[in-house]
Amino acid sequence: MICSLRCFSERSPHKVIPNPSQGGFSAQERQLALKTQNGEFCWILLKLGQKEHLEMLRKGLLYMNTLDYFNKLEEDLARSDQYEGTDSILQPQHIKSFVIETKVPGFEFHRVNPQELCGPIRVGRFATSACNLFCMVSINEPIVGPIFPKCREWFGDHFVLFTDVPAFLDRVATAARTQRLNAEGRLVEYYDESEYSGQTGRFRKRNRFAYQREFRVIVEPGLDGPRSFEIGDLSDITSEVTPLSLADDVMKFTPEDAIAAGLTWD
C-alpha cells in the first residue's frame, strides 16, 4: 500500500447531510463492500485528476462541477453522460401506449408506436440537476490485474488516495454545515441501460460506467457553474499526488493483500 489506511466504515454515516437518521449502508452497498475483522462494512476512496488539481485538493479545495456539466460534456468518454440529471427512464418495450398532446388544432394528439422509439424515454427535473458534485473511485473488493486498466477511459493521469475516509467525510459534513449547504455521499448504482425502467436520479448510472466504481458527494443548493468548496487542509489524510501509471507499483489490492489486512468480501 502507498500508506496506512482507515477504511470507510459503517460507524461513519456515508450520507453526510447532517441528519443522523440517514446514516448507515443501503442493502446494495452492503453487497459491494469489504468487511473488517469486526464485521464492519468498508471501502477505500481515491480521487483521479490532473496533478495541479489534486495538489489543490490536498490543500482542501474540492472543485465541483454541476451535474448538468457532465450531461453536456462532449469528447470525454470517461465523464460525458447525457443521462446525468435524469430522474427516471422508461424503455420502449415497457410502454403500452405513447400519446403526445401537441395542442395544435387538428393535430391535438399524436400516437407513437413505442417500438419505433430509438431509445428510452428520459424524464428529468431542473431540481435534480441543480447541484454540484465531487466524484471519486471506490475500491470495495480485491482487484485481480491492473487497478486502472489501460483499455478503459479514466478521468485524469494522477491520483490521490484518501488514507482516512471517515475523517474526510466528516470534514465535508462540517464544511457543509458551516457554509449552510446540504451534502450527501453515496456509492453509485449501475443499471442495464437496455432493460432497466424506473428511477435513476443522482446516484444511478448506466452499466457502461460500472468499471469506474464511483462514489460521489453532492452539494446543494447548486451553482450555475463550478463550485470551489473549501473544507480545510487534507494533507494529513491523503497520499502524495501520484501518476496513474505507477498505481500498480505503489498500491496492492489483490485478494492476498486483502486477506493479509484482515478484510473479507462476498
Side-chain angles (χ1 to χ4, degrees):
M1 304 292 289
I2 194 170
C3 42
S4 61
L5 296 174
R6 282 191 66 209
C7 295
F8 183 14
S9 72
E10 191 167 17
R11 285 187 289 184
S12 297
H14 66 301
K15 289 187 176 181
V16 294
I17 292 178
N19 184 342
S21 66
Q22 295 182 349
F25 280 60
S26 69
Q28 186 263 354
E29 287 167 331
R30 288 173 181 269
Q31 294 174 356
L32 298 174
L34 297 162
K35 298 182 184 68
T36 67
Q37 291 178 328
N38 296 328
E40 296 176 340
F41 297 86
C42 67
W43 58 79
I44 297 162
L45 298 180
L46 305 97
K47 176 63 177 176
L48 278 58
Q50 302 303 317
K51 182 177 181 179
E52 58 271 25
H53 297 158
L54 296 178
E55 294 289 2
M56 294 298 294
L57 167 64
R58 297 195 72 223
K59 295 177 181 178
L61 177 65
L62 275 61
Y63 184 81
M64 310 177 76
N65 266 308
T66 64
L67 201 63
D68 192 53
Y69 169 83
F70 298 101
N71 177 287
K72 298 176 180 178
L73 188 63
E74 297 181 358
E75 299 180 359
D76 188 332
L77 296 179
R79 300 190 301 160
S80 175
D81 184 3
Q82 60 183 343
Y83 282 56
E84 288 283 21
T86 301
D87 284 282
S88 61
I89 62 173
L90 186 60
Q91 300 290 345
Q93 65 267 31
H94 299 150
I95 301 174
K96 293 183 178 179
S97 177
F98 185 32
V99 179
I100 300 175
E101 184 177 353
T102 66
K103 296 185 179 180
V104 176
F107 300 93
E108 286 83 0
F109 299 97
H110 179 65
R111 188 174 299 276
V112 178
N113 181 352
Q115 303 310 312
E116 294 179 354
L117 296 173
C118 62
I121 294 175
R122 290 176 281 153
V123 179
R125 300 173 301 158
F126 173 77
T128 300
S129 296
C131 64
N132 295 84
L133 69 158
F134 184 75
C135 306
M136 292 162 283
V137 173
S138 68
I139 294 180
N140 45 41
E141 62 181 358
I143 298 174
V144 177
I147 298 172
F148 300 110
K150 293 181 180 180
C151 62
R152 298 291 193 179
E153 296 288 338
W154 300 98
F155 24 92
D157 53 13
H158 284 71
F159 73 91
V160 158
L161 175 69
F162 292 93
T163 59
D164 191 336
V165 177
F168 167 65
L169 295 179
D170 284 345
R171 293 180 195 185
V172 171
T174 298
R177 287 193 295 268
T178 300
Q179 300 175 41
R180 297 188 176 183
L181 299 170
N182 291 325
E184 181 176 2
R186 194 187 300 175
L187 192 68
V188 170
E189 298 181 40
Y190 299 94
Y191 60 85
D192 187 332
E193 61 187 281
S194 63
E195 294 294 332
Y196 177 75
S197 290
Q199 293 184 340
T200 51
R202 296 167 172 172
F203 295 96
R204 283 197 177 116
K205 298 187 69 172
R206 293 175 291 169
N207 55 6
R208 67 175 64 185
F209 298 104
Y211 72 93
Q212 297 176 356
R213 306 182 301 272
E214 184 181 345
F215 184 96
R216 56 174 47 174
V217 172
I218 297 290
V219 171
E220 58 184 348
L223 301 178
D224 292 335
R227 176 186 291 277
S228 295
F229 186 35
E230 295 274 3
I231 69 169
D233 183 69
L234 298 175
S235 60
D236 60 323
I237 57 170
T238 54
S239 71
E240 297 291 336
V241 177
T242 306
L244 208 61
S245 59
L246 297 180
D248 293 319
D249 297 327
V250 298
M251 294 190 297
K252 299 295 182 183
F253 294 119
T254 66
E256 294 77 15
D257 293 305
I259 292 172
L263 299 175
T264 60
W265 62 97
D266 294 330

